[in-house]
Amino acid sequence: MTEDSKKRIVSGMRSTGKLHLGHYFGVLANWKKLQEQYDSFFFIADWHALTTKFDTTEDLATNVYNVALDWLSCGIDPEKSTIYVQSYVPQIAQLHIFLSMITPQNWVERDPTLKDMAKALRLKGSSESQVSYGLLGYPVLMTADIMMFNANYVPVGIDQVPHVELSRDIVRRFNNIYKTDYFVEPEPLLTQIPLMKGVDGNKMGKSFNNDIKISDDEETTTKKIMSAITDRSRLRRDDPGHPEDCEVVYDYWKIFDSEEKVKEIDSLCRKGEIGCAQCKRELAKKVNEMLAPIRQKRLELAQKPELVREILMEGSKKAQTEAQKVLDKVKEVVRMY
């Protein structure tokens, strides 16, 4: 327990560029709520970004800055949360070394996310030999991120639970080997993350060029939504529609408006009283209205880059202070001195 009796959470996000609506609804909106309840540590994972982008680092620092801008504009509050950059806290790397010594190789190799990442590299034309030592160690580094602050909970979606289970195994092994109960076994804090599809109906992602970025302007957002796929069986505006076959637009309505509005859109569509183009224009207006205050705050922060960097530095210093306490304890129980 922390001094203020709040339990602690740790969560991070890879620094791969400007964030999109999938990040907002899947992660940031939840973090914004959790920071009111927990002692929250949120980190920008630039080391993790290197696991698959080690040879394209020209935008790494800019990506860190853009992620910070998006977080702050979406309401992640440095007065309520510790916001830090992973590589600014070298104690994490030191803890990772200790954990790498005790983690069996087969534990790492069975991690499903690691398998997916390795598969993605090979699909991009990389040979198996390019699955680096660092990528293989990704699950252990992730565990170090969690144990570094002795977190009680890790906010995750159901697909990420195996990550936390591996961390629990490593914590348990560490405690058993060194006869200590210092580290708590972190528990997954399950979040109901809605799957935010891209405008083409596939998973939203920067690499698929189907995302709506938090930082996009109104015109860009409208154009992207107007390009979204709709009910392909509808040939004329007054043809009866099938909302269940209009997955992208209909699902967006469910996210951005009330249940009553969704029912209204459903009824108008089925009766052929609203065309797909009109429906998308109204949706774009709703999306832009929701994003307007976030984008305004982002524009204001972008005019103060020194303030953003100061927030990252101050948060990282606080994280270093907390991390050093844990690292000192680790060295003590391992009998390094």
Side-chain angles (χ1 to χ4, degrees):
M1 297 287 279
T2 56
E3 291 182 3
D4 60 2
S5 297
K6 284 185 177 181
K7 289 196 173 183
R8 180 170 286 178
I9 63 172
V10 171
S11 194
M13 192 179 291
R14 280 161 48 108
S15 52
T16 55
K18 293 179 179 179
L19 305 181
H20 54 63
L21 291 182
H23 295 117
Y24 177 80
F25 287 105
V27 180
L28 298 179
N30 188 50
W31 284 4
K32 186 177 177 180
K33 296 176 184 176
L34 292 176
Q35 68 183 355
E36 304 291 341
Q37 305 169 254
Y38 296 94
D39 182 25
S40 303
F41 283 71
F42 299 132
F43 65 96
I44 301 174
D46 53 346
W47 277 334
H48 286 308
L50 286 175
T51 56
T52 55
K53 295 183 179 294
F54 57 86
D55 56 346
T56 54
T57 58
E58 58 273 6
D59 295 325
L60 187 59
T62 300
N63 288 343
V64 168
Y65 175 72
N66 276 314
V67 169
L69 271 181
D70 285 331
W71 285 12
L72 295 169
S73 63
C74 288
I76 308 305
D77 189 344
E79 297 297 322
K80 298 176 181 178
S81 304
T82 301
I83 302 171
Y84 61 102
V85 181
Q86 185 185 37
S87 67
Y88 292 5
V89 186
Q91 291 89 346
I92 297 171
Q94 294 185 59
L95 179 58
H96 171 244
I97 291 174
F98 282 104
L99 300 182
S100 70
M101 302 301 177
I102 68 165
T103 304
Q105 179 179 336
N106 64 329
W107 285 15
V108 172
E109 291 175 340
R110 73 190 184 205
D111 183 88
T113 302
L114 177 61
K115 291 179 181 179
D116 289 343
M117 293 169 76
K119 181 180 178 181
L121 277 178
R122 288 193 288 272
L123 287 174
K124 288 180 180 179
S126 299
S127 66
E128 191 162 356
S129 63
Q130 287 178 295
V131 176
S132 67
Y133 170 76
L135 179 56
L136 288 172
Y138 167 82
V140 183
L141 179 57
M142 178 211 63
T143 299
D145 291 322
I146 298 169
M147 290 177 64
M148 192 78 265
F149 301 99
N150 219 354
N152 302 96
Y153 300 107
V154 185
V156 292
I158 189 68
D159 60 321
Q160 295 173 308
V161 168
H163 268 327
V164 184
E165 289 302 322
L166 175 59
S167 294
R168 288 170 60 83
D169 288 341
I170 294 175
V171 166
R172 196 177 302 118
R173 182 171 171 83
F174 183 94
N175 285 344
N176 286 340
I177 289 173
Y178 298 112
K179 306 297 186 294
T180 182
D181 59 0
Y182 177 68
F183 283 110
V184 299
E185 293 184 26
E187 297 179 25
L189 191 61
L190 287 176
T191 57
Q192 299 302 315
I193 299 176
L195 175 62
M196 190 81 183
K197 293 181 179 179
V199 293
D200 61 357
N202 296 309
K203 180 180 179 181
M204 184 175 286
K206 176 184 177 183
S207 58
F208 303 125
N209 196 31
N210 67 355
D211 60 334
I212 298 174
K213 293 183 174 60
I214 294 168
S215 56
D216 282 342
D217 58 29
E218 288 192 13
E219 182 180 359
T220 301
T221 298
T222 300
K223 285 182 178 179
K224 288 181 178 180
I225 291 176
M226 293 304 293
S227 73
I229 59 171
T230 52
D231 180 0
R232 300 182 191 279
S233 67
R234 228 177 152 187
L235 302 178
R236 293 180 295 273
R237 182 191 182 283
D238 55 355
D239 283 345
H242 308 84
E244 65 276 9
D245 294 330
C246 185
E247 296 180 358
V248 176
V249 175
Y250 191 53
D251 285 352
Y252 280 20
W253 274 114
K254 293 177 184 177
I255 294 171
F256 284 94
D257 216 319
S258 64
E259 185 177 347
E260 181 181 356
K261 181 64 176 179
V262 172
K263 288 180 180 178
E264 178 188 338
I265 292 294
D266 185 287
S267 177
L268 291 173
C269 179
R270 292 185 189 281
K271 294 175 182 177
E273 294 178 359
I274 185 173
C276 295
Q278 180 185 348
C279 182
K280 289 192 281 189
R281 278 194 295 270
E282 291 185 15
L283 174 62
K285 181 179 179 182
K286 192 70 183 178
V287 173
N288 281 321
E289 286 175 354
M290 175 265 174
L291 288 173
I294 294 175
R295 288 168 172 168
Q296 181 59 37
K297 185 173 182 180
R298 196 182 194 282
L299 286 171
E300 293 170 0
L301 285 168
Q303 301 301 313
K304 305 173 183 177
E306 70 287 346
L307 174 61
V308 176
R309 293 190 177 91
E310 181 181 343
I311 289 171
L312 291 178
M313 291 305 299
E314 288 301 314
S316 297
K317 287 178 182 177
K318 179 181 176 183
Q320 285 180 28
T321 299
E322 291 298 308
Q324 191 59 50
K325 297 175 186 176
V326 174
L327 187 61
D328 287 344
K329 184 65 178 181
V330 167
K331 291 180 178 180
E332 178 186 326
V333 299
V334 177
R335 300 179 181 85
M336 297 297 290
Y337 52 69

